[in-house]
Amino acid sequence: MKLTLEIWRQKDANDKGHFETYELDNVRSHMSFLEMLDVLNQELIEKGEEPVAFDHDCREAICGTCGFVINGVAHGHMKRNTVCQLHMRTFNDGDHLVLEPWRAKAFPLVRDLIVDRSAFERIQRAGGYISARTGSAPDANSILIPKEQAEAALDFAECIGCGACVASCPNGAAMLFVGARIAHLGFLPQGQPERVERAKAMVAAMEQEGFGACTNYTSCEATCPKGVSIVGIAKMNKDYFNAKLFSGGNLGGKE
Amino acid sequence: MKLEAKIPSGPLADKWTDYKAHTALVSPANKRKHTILIVGTGLAGGGAAAALGELGYKVKAFCYQDSARRAHSIAAQGGINAAKNYQNDGDTVFRLFYDTIKGGDFRAREANTYRLAEISNEIIDQCVAQGVPFGREYSGYLANRTFGGAQVSRTFYARGETGQQLLLGAYNSLNAQVNAGNVDVFERTEMLDLIVIDGVARGIVVRDMVSGEVSSHFGDAVLLCTGGYSNVFFLSTSAKGCNGSALWRAYKRGAAFANPSFTQIHPTAIPQSGDFQSKLTLMSESLRNDGRVWVPKKAGDDRPPNDIPEDERDYYLERIYPSFGNMVPRDVASRNAKNVCDEGRGIGPTKRGVYLDFAVAIERLGVDVIKDRYGNLFEMYEMINDEDPYETPMMIYPAPHYTMGGLWVDYDLMSNMPGLFVLGEANFSDHGANRLGASALMQGLADGFFVIPNTLGQYIAKGKHPDVDPNCDEVRKVEQDAKDFNQKLLDIKGSKTVDYFHRAMGMIMLDKCGMARSKEGLNEAIEKIGKLKEEFWADVKVPGTGESLNQELEKAGRVADYFDLAILMCLDAREREESCGGHFREEHKTEEGEARRDDENFCHVAVWEWMGEDQAPQAHKEELEFEYVELTQRSYK
């Protein structure tokens, strides 16, 4: 299989960046997309050029490290997938593919297809957890959780933090990511005591990082490799609303 | 070299409680005066950072990933063991301990393994408190599944992504401590070397992987929680970035390496599909709960699996091991898969594969139950292989997965070097020559959340820990060494890529130091890898500079270390003239082809000491004493 790849090249955050075009022969159908890029990089190195920098690690669609945009779609055209598990058999001989990094104000570019997602770290540190001091937990079966509820929590906990939701959103919003954590912990009895504070803290951190607002495009849900539902956003809004209404704050209209 | 395991006296079941009751403590007000450096943020490192932060230590945690949440613990699928006996099926702490010791073919320390089993129950409590959404019954109680090497159901799970959920639990706890100001996390930061002053570990040299800046951090203890080194085989189930360099560079500074050749080849990975393959993907061992392993009885039978009638199939694990059947430990399952393929009965395009068949389970339980248990694994399989495992049996083949070997540690998890602690897969202590499924997560969390918070205090309380002068000669030298090492790689400007060398070494290792080993083969491997190493240092091509993000330079440094580590693995495998667990020497097998241990001569931990470049390492021994279990020939028949 032969491919034409148009790839975003940018040395660092200060560089202007540009597209570079590469022709690649001998692409095998059983390769993953990243293995195809490995082959390209080997060729570039052998020719004395700099390889394309891209983030990746587990290559099993679970660590959330990899991700870029292929022909305008985050993680490419296959649903519920990451680029590491996207296989070349789903492409055609002669395809022309444009590869770009996640583009969002809150994700500054590092190099080529790599962006800085540390904004996600700061949001999670603001309150995306249950404070459970080691050693203080009761017997695990003393907290009964209906199966459906545990499964719903897990559906949201599956978020891999890749950032595709932000990259897909015309507003560069991180609400699916934040909503996923809030819904995961909010579905569990253990998560209730800090539920209100969690929503307030995470939403405040999210806004501070410069992520956009949600206007219900739902492209985040469509490209999420784990199929996280926008119900998480509704849960987040509800918790945030309750936080503002019932914990002495206001809705932001007046000081 | 002095190897004191420092195992507390007294009955096995009381050792850990007694230890905790008598260990020296650091007062809460003093803990914040002590900086602890933690390398790696998986279950062991992330858990340790969170737990030590809670105690009030000043913690600095480092990871090469762009987030602590991406450490490779995240990819563990099947589950985590605990001796809760929620199933009323006869489980106890002793039974979990015994299964783990037996599973490891009697090459682990009794006291460490017993402590692991004892802590297992606290781990499950802690994880649930953190919000880990484990699988549950309709009644709301926790559910369990069975894993290899056990006849009880003691494995807790969250679909096929237990590692992800446990790591997020630890990561959330870590974040709470970052928010509280007790922990600083340094992402995209790789450890290049260990700073040792007067024989004591006092700091690390790191490289900022974005700017390329090399700098030093100092502390009163260094915890290496950097996982395993299966990537020495190039193709493994590890993440691409997983590496053995932190361990190797600590070894070169004086830390002892224990049982380096003890590696686990996991039986159920997706077979290799071609020459460009970059890694192997695991299919969880939990699948063997409901999947049946088979190959055609006839060699060279090319019919599609569903066309092969029942009486022409060989369910070889059920046939050879009737009492454990498909649930034999990993080393046994892997070796048998290799054997049937060597007989020409392998399946798939490469003939290096066996079937894992769910037809009977689907008929008995229905598609929905199977989907509920393994849905995401089946999806992943279909994504990679373009075949629906609900309709056609999966194809699987063993793949390098886990390294039981690692840096030597005592009961406190401290290496032979004062101040250097090693946790999780990076140490050698709990799994002997073979690790049972669902035990890696258990050990990572045990070491991080429950062991180190109780053992570190002893070291901190009893030492002086004067401040390190950042400009002293020792620090300057190690920093310069680290910079020179990278510059040397950049200056070679040869003709072959790093991956070329890594792949070539991996093939030698898999062939000669993999599922079956022989003296002759190991000698050949040592020679070939030595030559390849020379070629690497003369002809590798690392583009770019050290002063910016440079993924090829990162890889080159790791592969440079793998050459030396690979040779040490081969030496260790050659020295151990017996078969045990995952270490199978062709010369030492029973008439039925099972591993033949030699307890008289090899009931010890092989411990290696670095003696300098181009010098043979020195071999030491820690004799293993078994007071509570009887050394028997492992049988799963």
Coordinates of all heavy atoms in Angstrom, one line a residue, chain B residues 232-262:
Chain B
V232 N 13.9 -5.7 27.0 CA 15.2 -6.2 26.6 C 14.9 -7.1 25.4 O 15.8 -7.3 24.5 CB 15.9 -6.9 27.7 CG1 15.3 -8.2 28.1 CG2 17.4 -7.1 27.4
F233 N 13.7 -7.7 25.3 CA 13.4 -8.7 24.2 C 12.8 -7.9 23.0 O 12.4 -8.5 22.0 CB 12.3 -9.6 24.7 CG 12.7 -10.6 25.8 CD1 12.4 -10.4 27.1 CD2 13.4 -11.7 25.4 CE1 12.8 -11.2 28.1 CE2 13.9 -12.6 26.4 CZ 13.6 -12.4 27.8
F234 N 12.9 -6.6 23.0 CA 12.3 -5.7 22.0 C 10.8 -5.9 21.9 O 10.0 -5.0 22.3 CB 12.9 -5.8 20.6 CG 12.3 -4.8 19.7 CD1 12.7 -3.5 19.8 CD2 11.4 -5.1 18.7 CE1 12.2 -2.5 19.0 CE2 10.8 -4.1 17.9 CZ 11.2 -2.8 18.0
L235 N 10.3 -7.1 21.5 CA 8.9 -7.3 21.5 C 8.4 -7.9 22.8 O 8.9 -8.9 23.2 CB 8.5 -8.3 20.4 CG 8.5 -7.8 19.0 CD1 8.1 -8.9 18.0 CD2 7.7 -6.6 18.8
S236 N 7.6 -7.1 23.5 CA 7.1 -7.6 24.8 C 5.7 -6.9 25.0 O 5.3 -6.1 24.2 CB 8.0 -7.2 25.9 OG 7.8 -5.9 26.4
T237 N 5.1 -7.2 26.1 CA 3.8 -6.6 26.4 C 4.0 -5.2 27.1 O 3.1 -4.6 27.5 CB 2.9 -7.5 27.3 OG1 3.6 -7.7 28.5 CG2 2.7 -8.8 26.6
S238 N 5.3 -4.9 27.4 CA 5.5 -3.6 28.1 C 5.2 -2.4 27.2 O 5.2 -2.6 25.9 CB 7.0 -3.5 28.5 OG 7.3 -4.4 29.5
A239 N 5.0 -1.3 27.8 CA 4.9 0.0 27.0 C 6.2 0.3 26.3 O 7.3 -0.2 26.8 CB 4.5 1.1 27.9
K240 N 6.2 1.0 25.3 CA 7.4 1.3 24.5 C 8.5 2.0 25.4 O 9.6 1.8 25.2 CB 7.1 2.1 23.3 CG 6.3 1.4 22.2 CD 6.9 0.2 21.6 CE 8.1 0.6 20.7 NZ 8.7 -0.7 20.2
G241 N 8.0 2.8 26.3 CA 9.0 3.6 27.1 C 9.5 2.8 28.3 O 10.5 3.3 28.9
C242 N 8.9 1.7 28.7 CA 9.4 1.0 29.8 C 10.8 0.6 29.6 O 11.2 0.2 28.5 CB 8.6 -0.3 30.0 SG 6.9 -0.1 30.5
N243 N 11.6 0.8 30.6 CA 13.1 0.5 30.5 C 13.7 0.1 31.8 O 13.2 0.3 32.8 CB 13.8 1.7 29.8 CG 13.8 2.9 30.7 OD1 14.6 3.0 31.6 ND2 12.8 3.8 30.6
G244 N 14.9 -0.4 31.6 CA 15.7 -0.9 32.8 C 16.8 0.0 33.2 O 17.7 -0.4 34.0
S245 N 16.8 1.2 32.7 CA 18.0 2.1 32.8 C 18.2 2.6 34.2 O 19.3 2.7 34.7 CB 18.0 3.3 31.8 OG 18.3 2.8 30.5
A246 N 17.1 2.9 35.0 CA 17.3 3.4 36.3 C 17.9 2.2 37.2 O 18.9 2.5 37.9 CB 16.0 3.8 36.9
L247 N 17.4 1.0 37.0 CA 18.0 -0.1 37.7 C 19.4 -0.3 37.3 O 20.3 -0.6 38.1 CB 17.2 -1.4 37.4 CG 15.7 -1.4 37.8 CD1 15.1 -2.8 37.6 CD2 15.5 -0.9 39.2
W248 N 19.7 -0.3 36.0 CA 21.0 -0.6 35.5 C 22.0 0.4 36.0 O 23.1 0.1 36.4 CB 21.0 -0.7 34.0 CG 22.3 -1.3 33.6 CD1 23.4 -0.6 33.0 CD2 22.8 -2.7 33.8 NE1 24.4 -1.5 32.8 CE2 24.1 -2.7 33.3 CE3 22.2 -3.8 34.3 CZ2 24.8 -3.9 33.3 CZ3 22.9 -5.0 34.3 CH2 24.2 -5.0 33.8
R249 N 21.6 1.7 36.0 CA 22.6 2.7 36.4 C 22.8 2.7 37.9 O 23.9 2.9 38.4 CB 22.2 4.0 35.8 CG 22.3 4.0 34.3 CD 21.9 5.2 33.6 NE 21.8 4.9 32.1 CZ 21.6 5.8 31.2 NH1 21.4 7.0 31.5 NH2 21.6 5.4 29.9
A250 N 21.8 2.3 38.7 CA 22.0 2.1 40.1 C 22.9 0.9 40.4 O 23.8 0.9 41.3 CB 20.6 1.9 40.8
Y251 N 22.7 -0.1 39.5 CA 23.6 -1.3 39.6 C 25.1 -1.0 39.4 O 26.0 -1.4 40.1 CB 23.1 -2.4 38.6 CG 24.0 -3.5 38.4 CD1 24.2 -4.6 39.3 CD2 24.7 -3.7 37.1 CE1 25.0 -5.6 39.0 CE2 25.5 -4.7 36.9 CZ 25.7 -5.7 37.8 OH 26.5 -6.8 37.6
K252 N 25.3 -0.1 38.4 CA 26.6 0.3 38.1 C 27.2 1.2 39.2 O 28.4 1.4 39.3 CB 26.7 1.0 36.8 CG 26.6 0.1 35.6 CD 26.5 0.7 34.3 CE 27.7 1.4 33.8 NZ 27.6 1.8 32.3
R253 N 26.4 1.7 40.1 CA 26.8 2.5 41.2 C 26.9 1.7 42.5 O 27.2 2.2 43.6 CB 25.9 3.7 41.4 CG 25.9 4.7 40.3 CD 27.1 5.6 40.2 NE 27.1 6.4 39.0 CZ 28.2 7.0 38.5 NH1 29.3 6.9 39.2 NH2 28.1 7.7 37.4
G254 N 26.6 0.4 42.4 CA 26.9 -0.4 43.6 C 25.7 -1.2 44.1 O 25.8 -2.0 45.0
A255 N 24.5 -1.0 43.5 CA 23.3 -1.8 44.0 C 23.4 -3.2 43.4 O 23.8 -3.4 42.2 CB 22.0 -1.1 43.5
A256 N 23.0 -4.2 44.1 CA 23.1 -5.6 43.6 C 21.9 -6.0 42.8 O 20.8 -5.6 43.1 CB 23.3 -6.5 44.8
F257 N 22.1 -6.8 41.8 CA 21.0 -7.2 40.9 C 20.8 -8.7 41.2 O 21.7 -9.5 41.2 CB 21.4 -7.1 39.4 CG 20.3 -6.7 38.5 CD1 20.3 -5.5 37.8 CD2 19.2 -7.5 38.4 CE1 19.3 -5.1 37.0 CE2 18.1 -7.2 37.6 CZ 18.2 -6.0 36.9
A258 N 19.5 -9.0 41.5 CA 19.1 -10.4 41.9 C 18.3 -11.1 40.9 O 17.4 -10.5 40.3 CB 18.3 -10.3 43.2
N259 N 18.7 -12.3 40.6 CA 18.0 -13.2 39.7 C 17.6 -12.5 38.3 O 16.5 -12.6 37.9 CB 16.7 -13.7 40.3 CG 16.9 -14.6 41.5 OD1 18.0 -15.2 41.6 ND2 16.0 -14.6 42.4
P260 N 18.6 -11.8 37.7 CA 18.2 -11.1 36.5 C 17.5 -11.9 35.4 O 16.8 -11.4 34.6 CB 19.5 -10.5 36.0 CG 20.6 -11.2 36.7 CD 20.0 -11.7 38.0
S261 N 17.8 -13.2 35.4 CA 17.3 -14.0 34.3 C 15.8 -14.5 34.5 O 15.2 -15.1 33.6 CB 18.2 -15.3 34.0 OG 18.0 -16.2 35.1
F262 N 15.3 -14.2 35.7 CA 13.9 -14.7 35.9 C 12.9 -13.8 35.3 O 12.6 -12.7 35.7 CB 13.7 -14.7 37.5 CG 14.3 -15.9 38.2 CD1 15.0 -16.9 37.5 CD2 14.1 -16.1 39.5 CE1 15.5 -18.0 38.1 CE2 14.6 -17.2 40.2 CZ 15.4 -18.1 39.5

